[in-house]
Amino acid sequence: MKTLLFFAAIFFHCIFLQAQVSTDPSYITADIPVTLYFDATGSDLEGYNGDMYVHTGITVNSNPWQYVIGNWGDNSIQPQLTRIDANLYQLDILPSIREYYYAAMEDSISEICLVFRSENGMLQTYPDIFVPVYETIFEFVNFSTADTVICENDTVIFTVNNSGLIADSLLWDFPGGIPSGSTEFEPEVYYETAGLYDVELIAFFQGNPIVVSKEDYINVGELPVIPPQPQGETLICFDHHSSTYSTNNQNIIWQLIPENAGNYSYSDSTCLVFWNEAFSGTAQLQVQSFNDCGTSDLSEALVIEKTEKPNTDFTATPLFIPEAPYEVQFINLTPNPELYDFTWHFGNGDSSQVVEPLYTYTGSGMYSVSLVATHIENDCSDTLTKADFIHCSATGINDFSQDGFRYFVNYTEKTLELIFDETPKGYRFIMYSMSGLIQKSMVLNHPITKVPLHNLPTGVCLFRITNEDRAMIGKIFIMK
């Protein structure tokens, strides 16, 4: 601990003594006259009243104590200081540091080396004192700003970094800035347009100009430009799931409103919108550009209309025709039919554009029917198909009569009626699905039997009526 304290005391003493030597001017070069001041306060020479001498040389090419003047204690050669106040002394180094020490022109002088002593050499300063000598005064003059990379319409404050060297006057030049020049110590300059800009400072010291120029010192970035309106489809039919949009700018952010219109993903200048199936109405798509200077305002909106599903629907009467002519009246149930053109497809290759056609099938069979509704203004189409919708049959469930027995369908009561002229004996009735599953089974022992049809599954069923002597087979189409 004592060693550390001793080292700290020496270090402080060194700093203190260094601070006791000053020069005029404050920052010196080798080829100018210099006045050196020594304040003995706090040193071993404090209060000394005799003549004050200095043992001195210079640091040349990084080698200290070169060109030392005289020998220690030689008062006839070593420089004597002039007392100007109590403990304050002055030494004039004339006509320049280089000539005072007889240094060569090619020598690079970086320090004055000093030890102040009493007349008899018994009192002195320690350790050695070194006063810096600069190669040129340009080393102390500079300028800076907190930000050299800015954006359009930003302001920059410039500051002179003079390391204590106070200029008589300043002259700034700001090409491209507002103002374009200034004489202030900390001028504030506004840059309106993107680009690279030079800055120049001229500092005058005793009439001598020092010029500091910095090329392309201020980099003004361009503010992001509002992109043009996006391009793409503005009419989206209700059954379209996605659409693609683009813009000719890079670094783009996309925005779709309202949020429930759908989801979207984008990669710079291209955006893919996935439309919400349940959404219809008006949506707006906008873009904005961005860069290091921020984000632009939103572009003009692209207005997109997504149509509403027309809810196409229809029915017909009758749906089942047991015998020719197979005439069907189709009924259009689509809301607001005046907004649409309609096309019917009857399942046999024929079609019609009548809103509610009366159509006659020429052959028996089961027919799937489609209705296409096309919006008159936007050409968006919706198609509804009902499979096996119309049943035309000349052989299935037509009224039947043979040898004291007949059957027919009672459409009002939704029953199959079996009628015998006499009470049947030994007859059995079985109804099958097309897969062979028995749907109904009963013994026929009354002249009239009504078989309920309302609880049978949709489709074709076969029925069989048999006794020991005869068998009759028929089929029936069950429609819900």
Side-chain angles (χ1 to χ4, degrees), residues 68-336:
V68 175
I69 300 175
N71 296 314
W72 181 267
D74 188 348
N75 295 338
S76 64
I77 297 177
Q78 292 198 312
Q80 181 181 352
L81 282 71
T82 301
R83 184 193 300 272
I84 59 175
D85 202 351
N87 293 318
L88 185 61
Y89 300 86
Q90 173 182 323
L91 175 65
D92 294 322
I93 300 176
L94 302 171
S96 68
I97 296 173
R98 187 181 304 278
E99 294 177 76
Y100 187 79
Y101 289 94
Y102 296 98
M105 287 301 297
E106 64 270 16
D107 289 336
S108 175
I109 302 171
S110 58
E111 293 171 322
I112 299 175
C113 310
L114 302 163
V115 176
F116 298 96
R117 66 174 177 82
S118 62
E119 183 178 7
N120 60 9
M122 299 299 293
L123 300 174
Q124 69 174 75
T125 58
Y126 63 89
D128 297 351
I129 298 173
F130 299 94
V131 177
V133 178
Y134 295 93
E135 184 176 352
T136 171
I137 199 170
F138 287 96
E139 296 180 42
F140 341 122
V141 180
N142 200 352
F143 65 85
S144 64
T145 181
D147 297 300
T148 59
V149 179
I150 61 173
C151 299
E152 291 176 321
N153 303 325
D154 279 351
T155 298
V156 176
I157 298 177
F158 294 93
T159 301
V160 177
N161 310 118
N162 59 11
S163 302
L165 185 64
I166 301 176
D168 300 326
S169 61
L170 300 173
L171 181 60
W172 295 88
D173 185 26
F174 307 112
I178 302 173
S180 61
S182 176
T183 59
E184 297 179 2
F185 185 77
E186 290 188 343
E188 187 172 320
V189 182
Y190 171 77
Y191 288 91
E192 186 175 29
T193 307
L196 295 171
Y197 297 95
D198 302 339
V199 177
E200 182 178 88
L201 169 65
I202 304 176
F204 292 92
F205 297 90
Q206 300 176 353
N208 297 311
I210 299 175
V211 181
V212 182
S213 296
K214 297 186 180 183
E215 186 178 357
D216 297 340
Y217 184 58
I218 300 298
N219 184 352
V220 181
E222 185 179 9
L223 290 173
V225 178
I226 300 176
Q229 183 187 56
Q231 301 298 310
E233 295 179 90
T234 56
L235 177 66
I236 306 299
C237 291
F238 66 90
D239 57 346
H240 287 194
H241 303 295
S242 64
S243 52
T244 301
Y245 299 89
S246 64
T247 179
N248 58 5
N249 282 45
Q250 302 297 316
N251 299 328
I252 292 297
I253 300 172
W254 294 77
Q255 176 178 291
L256 177 67
I257 53 176
E259 292 184 357
N260 67 338
N263 299 317
Y264 58 98
S265 64
Y266 61 88
S267 176
D268 219 5
S269 61
T270 302
C271 178
L272 179 61
V273 177
F274 301 92
W275 296 103
N276 182 351
E277 183 178 354
F279 173 78
S280 63
T282 300
Q284 293 186 351
L285 189 64
Q286 293 175 280
V287 290
Q288 54 188 157
S289 63
F290 67 92
N291 59 23
D292 291 337
C293 286
T295 304
S296 74
D297 291 336
L298 288 166
S299 69
E300 179 185 354
L302 180 67
V303 179
I304 305 167
E305 186 72 24
K306 185 170 183 286
T307 65
E308 184 178 5
K309 182 177 172 59
N311 296 319
T312 305
D313 194 12
F314 65 89
T315 188
T317 183
L319 300 179
F320 174 78
I321 310 101
E323 59 182 343
Y326 308 119
E327 186 177 78
V328 180
Q329 176 65 61
F330 289 93
I331 302 169
N332 195 330
L333 302 178
T334 305
N336 304 311

Side-chain angles (χ1 to χ4, degrees), residues 314 330 344-350 361 365-371 384-391:
F314 65 89
F330 289 93
W344 296 82
H345 298 279
F346 300 118
N348 59 356
D350 288 351
Y361 287 91
M366 300 174 65
Y367 297 96
S368 298
V369 178
S370 298
L371 175 60
L384 174 65
T385 299
K386 296 187 178 182
D388 298 335
F389 187 59
I390 301 298
H391 296 257

Side-chain angles (χ1 to χ4, degrees), residues 3-17:
T3 302
L4 291 175
L5 290 174
F6 176 70
F7 174 77
I10 293 176
F11 180 70
F12 174 77
H13 187 62
C14 175
I15 294 175
F16 180 73
L17 286 179

